[in-house]
Amino acid sequence: MATPTPLPPRTQVPRHVAIIMDGNGRWARRRGWNRVRGHRAGIDSVRAVVREARAAGVRYLTLFAFSSENWGRPQREIAALMGLLRRFLRVEVPDLKRNGVRVRAIGELRRLPPRALEAVRWAEDETREGRDLDLILALSYGGRDEILHAVRSALAEGVRPEELDEARFRGFLYAPDVPDPDLLIRTSGEMRISNFLLWQLAYTELYVTPTLWPEFREAQFREALADYARRERRFGLTSEQLAGGGGG
Ligand code: FPP
């Protein structure tokens, strides 16, 4: 058996990992099953990745669980996804709480069905003391929606154009205290951002794997972390500047 990829040293672990969990439908279809079965298997991957992220020392994990575009899916699939979300929270919250995980949600949450919204608020409330890992669920989330929401909030507060810089703008995002993702993982091979965290991903490292989400488990997550640990982040600077060698 292959030796499992070790976890990188803490100093090389991304503080914030964001994930586009894609490929549930294809995974199920390939087996001749309906798409919902793929989402159900995807929950086991969520559980595995949360556990591994916490063990690795990741501080923020943002999962794209339901996009603003997903409202266009068949009603039956939407209902199933909302049901899975509620069940996931009901079953996992006690464990998450025990393990120092704080559940948070970002997105146009008012659009969620009342029982799903209630479950999300309950989970946030139950876990608000969690200090080890923030598990941020993007629900009814769109990056353009978030930017518009921020602009509207700034206008409503009477912010003057000359006062609006990046730092001030950030204060109007859904989760202003959360640092930008260091690493974005996308499963199932698509080379797209798909309206996820548009403002926050400006300098994020991208990791795209052909693995479908239901097959993305501990080992695959470790591999993504190891890949990230091998990269050099430059934020638009030269390697010499980053090495502290001066230059200009
Ligand atoms: C994309 O697969 C995945 C989704 C639209 C939803 C992801 C949701 C889960 C993993 C379950 C709920 C999550 C939580 C946190 C409880 P797809 O259906 O677009 O796959 P396809 O591209 O192969 O069709």
Side-chain angles (χ1 to χ4, degrees):
M1 218 173 78
T3 334
T5 312
L7 285 172
R10 292 267 164 154
T11 53
Q12 289 171 30
V13 169
R15 195 145 80 106
H16 182 177
V17 178
I19 308 185
I20 300 177
M21 311 181 286
D22 196 13
N24 294 345
R26 267 163 288 172
W27 180 86
R29 281 279 163 230
R30 277 179 200 172
R31 287 162 177 75
W33 299 335
N34 76 37
R35 304 170 46 79
V36 171
R37 219 160 141 182
H39 297 314
R40 209 175 301 139
I43 297 275
D44 294 332
S45 296
V46 169
R47 202 175 293 117
V49 164
V50 170
R51 195 182 322 118
E52 200 63 12
R54 193 181 154 278
V58 171
R59 181 63 187 78
Y60 302 90
L61 177 67
T62 302
L63 302 180
F64 205 176
F66 194 88
S67 73
S68 39
E69 290 74 25
N70 287 155
W71 291 117
R73 293 203 175 190
Q75 203 48 49
R76 246 176 335 121
E77 186 174 344
I78 296 176
L81 278 166
M82 294 299 149
L84 285 173
L85 170 68
R86 285 172 46 218
R87 178 134 54 100
F88 170 80
L89 294 173
R90 195 171 59 234
V91 172
E92 298 298 324
V93 156
D95 233 32
L96 294 171
K97 190 173 171 178
R98 227 180 351 265
N99 287 309
V101 179
R102 176 181 172 198
V103 177
R104 306 171 64 172
I106 55 171
E108 291 293 314
L109 304 180
R110 291 163 308 155
R111 291 187 72 182
L112 294 177
R115 289 197 300 174
L117 181 57
E118 208 175 289
V120 169
R121 294 303 185 208
W122 170 77
E124 287 182 319
D125 219 49
E126 276 293 300
T127 61
R128 68 175 63 257
E129 301 299 325
R131 291 288 174 268
D132 293 343
L133 172 71
D134 281 21
L135 170 60
I136 304 162
L137 302 178
L139 294 165
S140 186
Y141 177 88
R144 288 183 175 176
D145 275 352
E146 180 174 27
I147 290 171
L148 277 175
H149 160 89
V151 172
R152 287 198 190 108
S153 312
L155 291 173
E157 242 184 51
V159 176
R160 291 207 310 276
E162 62 276 17
E163 295 171 339
L164 195 61
D165 56 12
E166 288 192 16
R168 189 82 193 268
F169 184 81
R170 182 178 294 276
F172 294 104
L173 295 174
Y174 291 135
D177 60 303
V178 176
D180 291 343
D182 302 291
L183 173 65
L184 171 73
I185 298 173
R186 179 168 189 146
T187 58
S188 99
E190 245 77 61
M191 302 283 186
R192 286 194 289 276
I193 300 289
S194 298
N195 202 16
F196 193 36
L197 302 174
L198 292 182
W199 173 273
Q200 297 89 334
L201 291 175
Y203 287 102
T204 302
E205 294 291 325
L206 308 181
Y207 179 87
V208 177
T209 168
T211 305
L212 303 176
W213 179 250
E215 288 170 352
F216 191 90
R217 300 284 163 97
E218 284 91 342
Q220 290 71 21
F221 185 68
R222 280 185 181 220
E223 188 42 51
L225 293 186
D227 188 276
Y228 172 85
R230 289 191 291 267
R231 298 190 191 184
E232 176 198 32
R233 300 186 70 193
R234 292 188 17 198
F235 303 96
L237 303 176
T238 67
S239 328
E240 290 78 12
Q241 284 175 306
L242 282 174

